[in-house]
PDB file of all heavy atoms in Angstrom:
ATOM      1  N   THR A   1     -57.613 128.310  26.495  1.00  0.00           N
ATOM      2  CA  THR A   1     -58.023 128.744  27.828  1.00  0.00           C
ATOM      3  C   THR A   1     -56.906 128.471  28.824  1.00  0.00           C
ATOM      4  O   THR A   1     -56.426 127.339  28.925  1.00  0.00           O
ATOM      5  CB  THR A   1     -59.283 127.986  28.292  1.00  0.00           C
ATOM      6  OG1 THR A   1     -60.365 128.297  27.412  1.00  0.00           O
ATOM      7  CG2 THR A   1     -59.666 128.387  29.716  1.00  0.00           C
ATOM      8  N   VAL A   2     -56.457 129.507  29.531  1.00  0.00           N
ATOM      9  CA  VAL A   2     -55.570 129.291  30.669  1.00  0.00           C
ATOM     10  C   VAL A   2     -56.476 128.851  31.812  1.00  0.00           C
ATOM     11  O   VAL A   2     -57.147 129.653  32.459  1.00  0.00           O
ATOM     12  CB  VAL A   2     -54.782 130.554  31.020  1.00  0.00           C
ATOM     13  CG1 VAL A   2     -53.881 130.302  32.231  1.00  0.00           C
ATOM     14  CG2 VAL A   2     -53.933 131.001  29.833  1.00  0.00           C
ATOM     15  N   ALA A   3     -56.533 127.540  32.051  1.00  0.00           N
ATOM     16  CA  ALA A   3     -57.573 126.955  32.892  1.00  0.00           C
ATOM     17  C   ALA A   3     -57.176 126.797  34.347  1.00  0.00           C
ATOM     18  O   ALA A   3     -57.997 126.378  35.163  1.00  0.00           O
ATOM     19  CB  ALA A   3     -57.982 125.595  32.317  1.00  0.00           C
ATOM     20  N   GLY A   4     -55.945 127.118  34.687  1.00  0.00           N
ATOM     21  CA  GLY A   4     -55.547 126.995  36.081  1.00  0.00           C
ATOM     22  C   GLY A   4     -54.052 127.108  36.222  1.00  0.00           C
ATOM     23  O   GLY A   4     -53.320 127.324  35.248  1.00  0.00           O
ATOM     24  N   GLY A   5     -53.589 126.982  37.465  1.00  0.00           N
ATOM     25  CA  GLY A   5     -52.159 127.058  37.696  1.00  0.00           C
ATOM     26  C   GLY A   5     -51.828 127.230  39.162  1.00  0.00           C
ATOM     27  O   GLY A   5     -52.634 126.946  40.051  1.00  0.00           O
ATOM     28  N   ASP A   6     -50.633 127.730  39.398  1.00  0.00           N
ATOM     29  CA  ASP A   6     -50.153 127.915  40.760  1.00  0.00           C
ATOM     30  C   ASP A   6     -49.097 129.007  40.730  1.00  0.00           C
ATOM     31  O   ASP A   6     -48.521 129.311  39.668  1.00  0.00           O
ATOM     32  CB  ASP A   6     -49.543 126.604  41.284  1.00  0.00           C
ATOM     33  CG  ASP A   6     -49.332 126.618  42.794  1.00  0.00           C
ATOM     34  OD1 ASP A   6     -49.894 127.507  43.467  1.00  0.00           O
ATOM     35  OD2 ASP A   6     -48.610 125.743  43.287  1.00  0.00           O
ATOM     36  N   LEU A   7     -48.850 129.617  41.892  1.00  0.00           N
ATOM     37  CA  LEU A   7     -47.757 130.572  41.988  1.00  0.00           C
ATOM     38  C   LEU A   7     -47.063 130.434  43.321  1.00  0.00           C
ATOM     39  O   LEU A   7     -47.629 129.963  44.296  1.00  0.00           O
ATOM     40  CB  LEU A   7     -48.232 132.001  41.740  1.00  0.00           C
ATOM     41  CG  LEU A   7     -49.288 132.636  42.643  1.00  0.00           C
ATOM     42  CD1 LEU A   7     -48.648 133.244  43.880  1.00  0.00           C
ATOM     43  CD2 LEU A   7     -50.016 133.723  41.878  1.00  0.00           C
ATOM     44  N   SER A   8     -45.789 130.843  43.307  1.00  0.00           N
ATOM     45  CA  SER A   8     -44.948 130.705  44.485  1.00  0.00           C
ATOM     46  C   SER A   8     -43.851 131.755  44.420  1.00  0.00           C
ATOM     47  O   SER A   8     -43.530 132.274  43.338  1.00  0.00           O
ATOM     48  CB  SER A   8     -44.319 129.308  44.526  1.00  0.00           C
ATOM     49  OG  SER A   8     -43.369 129.193  45.562  1.00  0.00           O
ATOM     50  N   SER A   9     -43.264 132.060  45.565  1.00  0.00           N
ATOM     51  CA  SER A   9     -42.046 132.845  45.553  1.00  0.00           C
ATOM     52  C   SER A   9     -40.904 131.958  45.070  1.00  0.00           C
ATOM     53  O   SER A   9     -40.962 130.725  45.181  1.00  0.00           O
ATOM     54  CB  SER A   9     -41.741 133.385  46.953  1.00  0.00           C
ATOM     55  OG  SER A   9     -41.580 132.319  47.875  1.00  0.00           O
ATOM     56  N   ALA A  10     -39.866 132.584  44.494  1.00  0.00           N
ATOM     57  CA  ALA A  10     -38.761 131.819  43.925  1.00  0.00           C
ATOM     58  C   ALA A  10     -37.521 132.700  43.892  1.00  0.00           C
ATOM     59  O   ALA A  10     -37.626 133.930  43.898  1.00  0.00           O
ATOM     60  CB  ALA A  10     -39.114 131.337  42.523  1.00  0.00           C
ATOM     61  N   PRO A  11     -36.335 132.094  43.843  1.00  0.00           N
ATOM     62  CA  PRO A  11     -35.111 132.893  43.783  1.00  0.00           C
ATOM     63  C   PRO A  11     -34.918 133.598  42.448  1.00  0.00           C
ATOM     64  O   PRO A  11     -34.160 134.559  42.349  1.00  0.00           O
ATOM     65  CB  PRO A  11     -34.004 131.866  44.041  1.00  0.00           C
ATOM     66  CG  PRO A  11     -34.610 130.562  43.679  1.00  0.00           C
ATOM     67  CD  PRO A  11     -36.062 130.661  44.020  1.00  0.00           C
ATOM     68  N   ALA A  12     -35.577 133.123  41.390  1.00  0.00           N
ATOM     69  CA  ALA A  12     -35.516 133.743  40.068  1.00  0.00           C
ATOM     70  C   ALA A  12     -36.866 133.526  39.397  1.00  0.00           C
ATOM     71  O   ALA A  12     -37.595 132.582  39.726  1.00  0.00           O
ATOM     72  CB  ALA A  12     -34.398 133.146  39.225  1.00  0.00           C
ATOM     73  N   LEU A  13     -37.197 134.389  38.463  1.00  0.00           N
ATOM     74  CA  LEU A  13     -38.470 134.258  37.759  1.00  0.00           C
ATOM     75  C   LEU A  13     -38.461 133.009  36.884  1.00  0.00           C
ATOM     76  O   LEU A  13     -37.519 132.776  36.127  1.00  0.00           O
ATOM     77  CB  LEU A  13     -38.711 135.483  36.881  1.00  0.00           C
ATOM     78  CG  LEU A  13     -39.987 135.479  36.036  1.00  0.00           C
ATOM     79  CD1 LEU A  13     -41.235 135.469  36.917  1.00  0.00           C
ATOM     80  CD2 LEU A  13     -40.019 136.690  35.099  1.00  0.00           C
ATOM     81  N   PHE A  14     -39.493 132.188  37.038  1.00  0.00           N
ATOM     82  CA  PHE A  14     -39.677 131.084  36.096  1.00  0.00           C
ATOM     83  C   PHE A  14     -41.151 130.942  35.774  1.00  0.00           C
ATOM     84  O   PHE A  14     -42.025 131.310  36.554  1.00  0.00           O
ATOM     85  CB  PHE A  14     -39.111 129.764  36.634  1.00  0.00           C
ATOM     86  CG  PHE A  14     -39.921 129.112  37.723  1.00  0.00           C
ATOM     87  CD1 PHE A  14     -41.036 128.335  37.417  1.00  0.00           C
ATOM     88  CD2 PHE A  14     -39.564 129.264  39.051  1.00  0.00           C
ATOM     89  CE1 PHE A  14     -41.784 127.731  38.426  1.00  0.00           C
ATOM     90  CE2 PHE A  14     -40.302 128.658  40.063  1.00  0.00           C
ATOM     91  CZ  PHE A  14     -41.417 127.897  39.746  1.00  0.00           C
ATOM     92  N   VAL A  15     -41.422 130.421  34.578  1.00  0.00           N
ATOM     93  CA  VAL A  15     -42.785 130.149  34.129  1.00  0.00           C
ATOM     94  C   VAL A  15     -42.813 128.732  33.570  1.00  0.00           C
ATOM     95  O   VAL A  15     -42.099 128.431  32.610  1.00  0.00           O
ATOM     96  CB  VAL A  15     -43.254 131.135  33.045  1.00  0.00           C
ATOM     97  CG1 VAL A  15     -44.731 130.921  32.731  1.00  0.00           C
ATOM     98  CG2 VAL A  15     -42.988 132.575  33.452  1.00  0.00           C
ATOM     99  N   ALA A  16     -43.582 127.864  34.197  1.00  0.00           N
ATOM    100  CA  ALA A  16     -43.768 126.495  33.708  1.00  0.00           C
ATOM    101  C   ALA A  16     -45.167 126.401  33.106  1.00  0.00           C
ATOM    102  O   ALA A  16     -46.152 126.760  33.754  1.00  0.00           O
ATOM    103  CB  ALA A  16     -43.601 125.484  34.830  1.00  0.00           C
ATOM    104  N   VAL A  17     -45.257 125.934  31.883  1.00  0.00           N
ATOM    105  CA  VAL A  17     -46.524 125.886  31.153  1.00  0.00           C
ATOM    106  C   VAL A  17     -46.810 124.458  30.715  1.00  0.00           C
ATOM    107  O   VAL A  17     -45.991 123.841  30.026  1.00  0.00           O
ATOM    108  CB  VAL A  17     -46.492 126.799  29.909  1.00  0.00           C
ATOM    109  CG1 VAL A  17     -47.855 126.780  29.206  1.00  0.00           C
ATOM    110  CG2 VAL A  17     -46.097 128.222  30.277  1.00  0.00           C
ATOM    111  N   THR A  18     -47.946 123.940  31.117  1.00  0.00           N
ATOM    112  CA  THR A  18     -48.446 122.666  30.599  1.00  0.00           C
ATOM    113  C   THR A  18     -49.590 122.964  29.652  1.00  0.00           C
ATOM    114  O   THR A  18     -50.521 123.686  30.011  1.00  0.00           O
ATOM    115  CB  THR A  18     -48.939 121.758  31.733  1.00  0.00           C
ATOM    116  OG1 THR A  18     -47.850 121.481  32.614  1.00  0.00           O
ATOM    117  CG2 THR A  18     -49.479 120.442  31.186  1.00  0.00           C
ATOM    118  N   VAL A  19     -49.515 122.457  28.441  1.00  0.00           N
ATOM    119  CA  VAL A  19     -50.580 122.665  27.459  1.00  0.00           C
ATOM    120  C   VAL A  19     -51.194 121.326  27.090  1.00  0.00           C
ATOM    121  O   VAL A  19     -50.511 120.297  27.048  1.00  0.00           O
ATOM    122  CB  VAL A  19     -50.068 123.371  26.187  1.00  0.00           C
ATOM    123  CG1 VAL A  19     -49.754 124.837  26.467  1.00  0.00           C
ATOM    124  CG2 VAL A  19     -48.851 122.671  25.606  1.00  0.00           C
ATOM    125  N   VAL A  20     -52.474 121.361  26.831  1.00  0.00           N
ATOM    126  CA  VAL A  20     -53.206 120.170  26.397  1.00  0.00           C
ATOM    127  C   VAL A  20     -53.867 120.475  25.061  1.00  0.00           C
ATOM    128  O   VAL A  20     -54.596 121.466  24.927  1.00  0.00           O
ATOM    129  CB  VAL A  20     -54.275 119.757  27.427  1.00  0.00           C
ATOM    130  CG1 VAL A  20     -55.009 118.501  26.948  1.00  0.00           C
ATOM    131  CG2 VAL A  20     -53.639 119.510  28.790  1.00  0.00           C
ATOM    132  N   GLY A  21     -53.574 119.651  24.078  1.00  0.00           N
ATOM    133  CA  GLY A  21     -54.229 119.753  22.779  1.00  0.00           C
ATOM    134  C   GLY A  21     -55.115 118.539  22.563  1.00  0.00           C
ATOM    135  O   GLY A  21     -55.109 117.588  23.357  1.00  0.00           O
ATOM    136  N   TRP A  22     -55.854 118.570  21.459  1.00  0.00           N
ATOM    137  CA  TRP A  22     -56.835 117.524  21.216  1.00  0.00           C
ATOM    138  C   TRP A  22     -56.848 117.111  19.753  1.00  0.00           C
ATOM    139  O   TRP A  22     -56.553 117.907  18.858  1.00  0.00           O
ATOM    140  CB  TRP A  22     -58.240 118.012  21.629  1.00  0.00           C
ATOM    141  CG  TRP A  22     -58.327 118.375  23.072  1.00  0.00           C
ATOM    142  CD1 TRP A  22     -58.130 119.619  23.627  1.00  0.00           C
ATOM    143  CD2 TRP A  22     -58.590 117.488  24.159  1.00  0.00           C
ATOM    144  NE1 TRP A  22     -58.259 119.551  24.993  1.00  0.00           N
ATOM    145  CE2 TRP A  22     -58.543 118.259  25.350  1.00  0.00           C
ATOM    146  CE3 TRP A  22     -58.868 116.124  24.257  1.00  0.00           C
ATOM    147  CZ2 TRP A  22     -58.771 117.707  26.606  1.00  0.00           C
ATOM    148  CZ3 TRP A  22     -59.088 115.570  25.500  1.00  0.00           C
ATOM    149  CH2 TRP A  22     -59.043 116.363  26.660  1.00  0.00           C
ATOM    150  N   ALA A  23     -57.180 115.860  19.534  1.00  0.00           N
ATOM    151  CA  ALA A  23     -57.408 115.335  18.190  1.00  0.00           C
ATOM    152  C   ALA A  23     -58.499 114.279  18.280  1.00  0.00           C
ATOM    153  O   ALA A  23     -58.651 113.627  19.319  1.00  0.00           O
ATOM    154  CB  ALA A  23     -56.141 114.737  17.600  1.00  0.00           C
ATOM    155  N   ALA A  24     -59.251 114.125  17.206  1.00  0.00           N
ATOM    156  CA  ALA A  24     -60.343 113.148  17.217  1.00  0.00           C
ATOM    157  C   ALA A  24     -59.814 111.729  17.375  1.00  0.00           C
ATOM    158  O   ALA A  24     -60.437 110.892  18.029  1.00  0.00           O
ATOM    159  CB  ALA A  24     -61.172 113.269  15.943  1.00  0.00           C
ATOM    160  N   LYS A  25     -58.642 111.456  16.799  1.00  0.00           N
ATOM    161  CA  LYS A  25     -58.048 110.129  16.916  1.00  0.00           C
ATOM    162  C   LYS A  25     -56.540 110.242  16.742  1.00  0.00           C
ATOM    163  O   LYS A  25     -56.026 111.216  16.163  1.00  0.00           O
ATOM    164  CB  LYS A  25     -58.624 109.159  15.895  1.00  0.00           C
ATOM    165  CG  LYS A  25     -58.541 109.646  14.456  1.00  0.00           C
ATOM    166  CD  LYS A  25     -59.271 108.710  13.526  1.00  0.00           C
ATOM    167  CE  LYS A  25     -59.232 109.231  12.082  1.00  0.00           C
ATOM    168  NZ  LYS A  25     -59.954 108.318  11.168  1.00  0.00           N
ATOM    169  N   GLU A  26     -55.815 109.243  17.216  1.00  0.00           N
ATOM    170  CA  GLU A  26     -54.357 109.278  17.184  1.00  0.00           C
ATOM    171  C   GLU A  26     -53.819 109.400  15.765  1.00  0.00           C
ATOM    172  O   GLU A  26     -52.804 110.065  15.524  1.00  0.00           O
ATOM    173  CB  GLU A  26     -53.786 108.022  17.852  1.00  0.00           C
ATOM    174  CG  GLU A  26     -52.268 108.029  17.942  1.00  0.00           C
ATOM    175  CD  GLU A  26     -51.702 106.745  18.503  1.00  0.00           C
ATOM    176  OE1 GLU A  26     -52.498 105.826  18.806  1.00  0.00           O
ATOM    177  OE2 GLU A  26     -50.462 106.650  18.624  1.00  0.00           O
ATOM    178  N   GLY A  27     -54.502 108.794  14.815  1.00  0.00           N
ATOM    179  CA  GLY A  27     -54.036 108.820  13.437  1.00  0.00           C
ATOM    180  C   GLY A  27     -53.989 110.195  12.809  1.00  0.00           C
ATOM    181  O   GLY A  27     -53.357 110.374  11.759  1.00  0.00           O
ATOM    182  N   GLN A  28     -54.619 111.183  13.423  1.00  0.00           N
ATOM    183  CA  GLN A  28     -54.570 112.548  12.899  1.00  0.00           C
ATOM    184  C   GLN A  28     -53.308 113.284  13.330  1.00  0.00           C
ATOM    185  O   GLN A  28     -53.040 114.377  12.836  1.00  0.00           O
ATOM    186  CB  GLN A  28     -55.807 113.328  13.363  1.00  0.00           C
ATOM    187  CG  GLN A  28     -57.111 112.824  12.781  1.00  0.00           C
ATOM    188  CD  GLN A  28     -58.310 113.606  13.308  1.00  0.00           C
ATOM    189  OE1 GLN A  28     -58.220 114.319  14.307  1.00  0.00           O
ATOM    190  NE2 GLN A  28     -59.439 113.469  12.629  1.00  0.00           N
ATOM    191  N   LEU A  29     -52.564 112.706  14.259  1.00  0.00           N
ATOM    192  CA  LEU A  29     -51.386 113.364  14.805  1.00  0.00           C
ATOM    193  C   LEU A  29     -50.123 112.929  14.063  1.00  0.00           C
ATOM    194  O   LEU A  29     -50.091 111.883  13.425  1.00  0.00           O
ATOM    195  CB  LEU A  29     -51.254 113.044  16.292  1.00  0.00           C
ATOM    196  CG  LEU A  29     -52.439 113.462  17.155  1.00  0.00           C
ATOM    197  CD1 LEU A  29     -52.299 112.893  18.562  1.00  0.00           C
ATOM    198  CD2 LEU A  29     -52.574 114.985  17.202  1.00  0.00           C
ATOM    199  N   VAL A  30     -49.093 113.752  14.177  1.00  0.00           N
ATOM    200  CA  VAL A  30     -47.808 113.458  13.542  1.00  0.00           C
ATOM    201  C   VAL A  30     -46.734 113.449  14.617  1.00  0.00           C
ATOM    202  O   VAL A  30     -46.621 114.405  15.399  1.00  0.00           O
ATOM    203  CB  VAL A  30     -47.456 114.505  12.473  1.00  0.00           C
ATOM    204  CG1 VAL A  30     -46.115 114.170  11.815  1.00  0.00           C
ATOM    205  CG2 VAL A  30     -48.558 114.609  11.425  1.00  0.00           C
ATOM    206  N   GLY A  31     -45.923 112.388  14.666  1.00  0.00           N
ATOM    207  CA  GLY A  31     -44.829 112.310  15.622  1.00  0.00           C
ATOM    208  C   GLY A  31     -43.488 112.590  14.970  1.00  0.00           C
ATOM    209  O   GLY A  31     -43.398 112.897  13.778  1.00  0.00           O
ATOM    210  N   ARG A  32     -42.437 112.439  15.746  1.00  0.00           N
ATOM    211  CA  ARG A  32     -41.080 112.617  15.232  1.00  0.00           C
ATOM    212  C   ARG A  32     -40.565 111.361  14.536  1.00  0.00           C
ATOM    213  O   ARG A  32     -39.529 111.413  13.855  1.00  0.00           O
ATOM    214  CB  ARG A  32     -40.119 112.959  16.369  1.00  0.00           C
ATOM    215  CG  ARG A  32     -40.407 114.262  17.075  1.00  0.00           C
ATOM    216  CD  ARG A  32     -39.365 114.488  18.173  1.00  0.00           C
ATOM    217  NE  ARG A  32     -39.592 115.737  18.890  1.00  0.00           N
ATOM    218  CZ  ARG A  32     -38.783 116.226  19.833  1.00  0.00           C
ATOM    219  NH1 ARG A  32     -37.701 115.529  20.176  1.00  0.00           N
ATOM    220  NH2 ARG A  32     -39.044 117.365  20.433  1.00  0.00           N
ATOM    221  N   ASP A  33     -41.250 110.245  14.700  1.00  0.00           N
ATOM    222  CA  ASP A  33     -40.688 108.952  14.307  1.00  0.00           C
ATOM    223  C   ASP A  33     -41.119 108.469  12.930  1.00  0.00           C
ATOM    224  O   ASP A  33     -40.870 107.321  12.581  1.00  0.00           O
ATOM    225  CB  ASP A  33     -41.057 107.895  15.343  1.00  0.00           C
ATOM    226  CG  ASP A  33     -42.568 107.769  15.546  1.00  0.00           C
ATOM    227  OD1 ASP A  33     -43.316 108.601  14.995  1.00  0.00           O
ATOM    228  OD2 ASP A  33     -42.991 106.845  16.263  1.00  0.00           O
ATOM    229  N   GLY A  34     -41.728 109.326  12.117  1.00  0.00           N
ATOM    230  CA  GLY A  34     -42.284 108.855  10.853  1.00  0.00           C
ATOM    231  C   GLY A  34     -41.433 109.099   9.625  1.00  0.00           C
ATOM    232  O   GLY A  34     -41.881 108.849   8.500  1.00  0.00           O
ATOM    233  N   ALA A  35     -40.218 109.610   9.782  1.00  0.00           N
ATOM    234  CA  ALA A  35     -39.364 109.827   8.610  1.00  0.00           C
ATOM    235  C   ALA A  35     -38.971 108.496   7.988  1.00  0.00           C
ATOM    236  O   ALA A  35     -38.623 107.553   8.701  1.00  0.00           O
ATOM    237  CB  ALA A  35     -38.111 110.612   9.007  1.00  0.00           C
ATOM    238  N   HIS A  36     -39.011 108.394   6.661  1.00  0.00           N
ATOM    239  CA  HIS A  36     -38.668 107.144   5.985  1.00  0.00           C
ATOM    240  C   HIS A  36     -37.846 107.437   4.738  1.00  0.00           C
ATOM    241  O   HIS A  36     -37.917 108.536   4.163  1.00  0.00           O
ATOM    242  CB  HIS A  36     -39.934 106.365   5.612  1.00  0.00           C
ATOM    243  CG  HIS A  36     -40.914 107.162   4.809  1.00  0.00           C
ATOM    244  ND1 HIS A  36     -40.799 107.330   3.452  1.00  0.00           N
ATOM    245  CD2 HIS A  36     -42.018 107.860   5.191  1.00  0.00           C
ATOM    246  CE1 HIS A  36     -41.816 108.081   3.022  1.00  0.00           C
ATOM    247  NE2 HIS A  36     -42.545 108.421   4.048  1.00  0.00           N
ATOM    248  N   ALA A  37     -37.060 106.470   4.340  1.00  0.00           N
ATOM    249  CA  ALA A  37     -36.192 106.636   3.180  1.00  0.00           C
ATOM    250  C   ALA A  37     -36.999 107.034   1.956  1.00  0.00           C
ATOM    251  O   ALA A  37     -38.065 106.481   1.694  1.00  0.00           O
ATOM    252  CB  ALA A  37     -35.415 105.346   2.917  1.00  0.00           C
ATOM    253  N   GLY A  38     -36.500 108.021   1.220  1.00  0.00           N
ATOM    254  CA  GLY A  38     -37.168 108.513   0.032  1.00  0.00           C
ATOM    255  C   GLY A  38     -37.977 109.769   0.264  1.00  0.00           C
ATOM    256  O   GLY A  38     -38.362 110.443  -0.702  1.00  0.00           O
ATOM    257  N   ALA A  39     -38.239 110.102   1.537  1.00  0.00           N
ATOM    258  CA  ALA A  39     -39.003 111.309   1.839  1.00  0.00           C
ATOM    259  C   ALA A  39     -38.125 112.548   1.675  1.00  0.00           C
ATOM    260  O   ALA A  39     -36.897 112.482   1.675  1.00  0.00           O
ATOM    261  CB  ALA A  39     -39.556 111.243   3.260  1.00  0.00           C
ATOM    262  N   LEU A  40     -38.786 113.689   1.553  1.00  0.00           N
ATOM    263  CA  LEU A  40     -38.100 114.981   1.472  1.00  0.00           C
ATOM    264  C   LEU A  40     -38.240 115.710   2.793  1.00  0.00           C
ATOM    265  O   LEU A  40     -39.203 115.506   3.540  1.00  0.00           O
ATOM    266  CB  LEU A  40     -38.691 115.825   0.341  1.00  0.00           C
ATOM    267  CG  LEU A  40     -38.639 115.210  -1.066  1.00  0.00           C
ATOM    268  CD1 LEU A  40     -39.279 116.155  -2.074  1.00  0.00           C
ATOM    269  CD2 LEU A  40     -37.206 114.878  -1.464  1.00  0.00           C
TER     270      LEU A  40
END
């Protein structure tokens, strides 16, 4: 759902997008910091 936003005049076209996702708990998510020796 595009749930809201704002608009303005500007010297050049820009689009700023904030997205919100959801998970039941943090443990279901994957970050960038989990690589470990031996992984592929």
Side-chain angles (χ1 to χ4, degrees):
T1 297
V2 179
D6 194 14
L7 60 85
S8 173
S9 60
L13 178 64
F14 74 82
V15 187
V17 183
T18 299
V19 288
V20 181
W22 300 92
K25 54 187 178 180
E26 184 184 1
Q28 293 178 344
L29 301 171
V30 181
R32 297 181 180 185
D33 57 352
H36 54 82
L40 302 179

